[in-house]
Amino acid sequence: YYVVSYFKMMRIPHTGCNPRGLLLARDKALTKMILTYHRISVPDFDVFPLRKKISRRRKFTYPLIVKSLTEEGSVGIAKASYVENETQLRERVALIHEKLNGDAIAEQYIEGREFYVTVLGNTKLEVPPIRELVFGNAEPGTPHMATYKVKWDDKYRERWGIEYQFARNLPNGMEERINHLCKRVYHLLDNRLLRFTPLYQTRVWGGRRLETVLHRTLPDRQPYGESWELVDREREQSVVADGPLTGWPLHRLWTDHRQAVFGSRYLAST
């Protein structure tokens, strides 16, 4: 997401997810917490920070999958990532800490099919046909999961008859349910974050560094010293910059749409 953030800052057009979505999705625990808050079911999980004693903070139902908290592309995932007891859990967490020098996450293993869903678009979303990772001749007794070798070793996939194909024989209505859920997740992790128009403040000690360093478009040639990114005052109001709520002041969102924008926990706030 560093490269994409640079593109955004420099206003270089690009395809794919924006920095907000990449940053959230990269942190598996944070993603799960956001989805859980919005009542989307996720596997139970726990995080094991680097350089801290390996101890469980919650009760698990084995088996579990142990992986890196932030690595992508199945880095660090192998057959041994599937653990069935606490001894195996500790050993695998310690290996993730040592080999990848980062936090580990253990999450409930849910047996089932391995689907891949692509969501395209900005405001109007499209979902191409669902793809599935099919384990044709997988080793007997081996859990079906996308290990590093499964994803990146062509000879391994050929040996065990593992291949990607379009999903087949889905129960009636299942594809529509999956598509709807993925679009909802897309919005939660990407477009649901509101962007507000900054309020630039002139100051006697101000200048043009907001423009020259941060590439902001300042309204005129005056010396600007501050950028108010989010403000709710009687005379100064942040307003939504884009999307269906364009032009709405922050205070209106707080008073008229508090639950939808800020969540149910703030309903009683004044």
Side-chain angles (χ1 to χ4, degrees):
Y1 62 91
Y2 299 108
V3 174
V4 178
S5 298
Y6 176 78
F7 287 165
K8 280 289 185 182
M9 185 178 69
M10 300 301 294
R11 299 184 178 182
I12 299 175
H14 65 90
T15 60
C17 190
N18 66 33
R20 300 189 305 272
L22 289 174
L23 179 62
L24 292 175
R26 186 170 183 263
D27 188 324
K28 301 177 182 69
L30 179 58
T31 296
K32 289 177 178 11
M33 287 188 286
I34 293 174
L35 298 182
T36 299
Y37 179 83
H38 291 279
R39 296 180 175 84
I40 294 177
S41 298
V42 300
D44 193 18
F45 70 96
D46 201 358
V47 175
F48 299 87
L50 180 66
R51 300 188 184 91
K52 289 191 177 181
K53 182 180 179 181
I54 300 175
S55 60
R56 293 187 304 169
R57 292 174 292 181
R58 61 179 67 184
K59 292 183 179 180
F60 281 130
T61 299
Y62 290 96
L64 305 171
I65 299 293
V66 180
K67 59 182 76 171
S68 164
L69 179 64
T70 58
E71 288 289 347
E72 303 167 0
S74 291
V75 172
I77 301 179
K79 288 188 291 185
S81 300
Y82 177 88
V83 301
E84 299 179 290
N85 53 59
E86 186 161 351
T87 299
Q88 294 177 350
L89 171 64
R90 290 177 177 274
E91 290 176 353
R92 195 64 192 180
V93 169
L95 185 141
I96 293 293
H97 287 171
E98 178 185 354
K99 297 296 184 180
L100 301 181
N101 195 36
D103 298 343
I105 183 173
E107 57 186 36
Q108 179 186 8
Y109 173 75
I110 300 177
E111 189 172 358
R113 299 168 67 177
E114 182 88 9
F115 293 133
Y116 293 83
V117 183
T118 301
V119 180
L120 303 174
N122 294 313
T123 54
K124 183 179 179 180
L125 304 182
E126 298 181 19
V127 180
I130 298 172
R131 300 282 286 175
E132 181 177 5
L133 181 59
V134 179
F135 297 81
N137 304 314
E139 300 171 76
T142 301
H144 293 176
M145 58 184 189
T147 64
Y148 186 83
K149 292 195 72 172
V150 166
K151 281 192 175 179
W152 303 108
D153 191 327
D154 294 338
K155 292 183 178 179
Y156 181 87
R157 288 200 305 274
E158 182 179 354
R159 176 185 178 188
W160 296 107
I162 302 172
E163 62 178 352
Y164 293 93
Q165 63 183 33
F166 291 110
R168 304 168 183 169
N169 302 319
L170 292 174
N172 289 336
M174 180 58 68
E175 184 171 4
E176 290 75 15
R177 290 176 59 189
I178 292 174
N179 291 350
H180 175 75
L181 178 61
C182 290
K183 288 180 180 180
R184 186 180 173 203
V185 171
Y186 175 100
H187 285 299
L188 291 175
L189 297 181
D190 191 25
N191 288 343
R192 281 288 296 273
L193 296 178
L194 294 175
R195 292 191 296 176
F196 292 85
T197 301
L199 297 177
Y200 297 113
Q201 305 297 314
T202 57
R203 296 290 184 265
V204 293
W205 42 265
R208 309 298 298 180
R209 297 192 68 185
L210 287 169
E211 182 178 61
T212 58
V213 177
L214 298 181
H215 302 277
R216 296 294 187 89
T217 301
L218 298 177
D220 49 47
R221 300 304 301 174
Q222 297 187 71
Y224 287 93
E226 297 177 1
S227 174
W228 293 2
E229 301 296 310
L230 199 63
V231 58
D232 182 3
R233 291 181 172 181
E234 185 176 353
R235 295 185 178 181
E236 295 94 3
Q237 279 288 308
S238 293
V239 297
V240 179
D242 51 28
L245 301 178
T246 299
W248 284 40
L250 177 60
H251 192 73
R252 180 183 176 187
L253 296 173
W254 177 255
T255 55
D256 296 347
H257 300 274
R258 188 172 305 180
Q259 181 174 4
V261 176
F262 300 94
S264 57
R265 70 179 63 183
Y266 296 108
L267 281 178
S269 303
T270 58

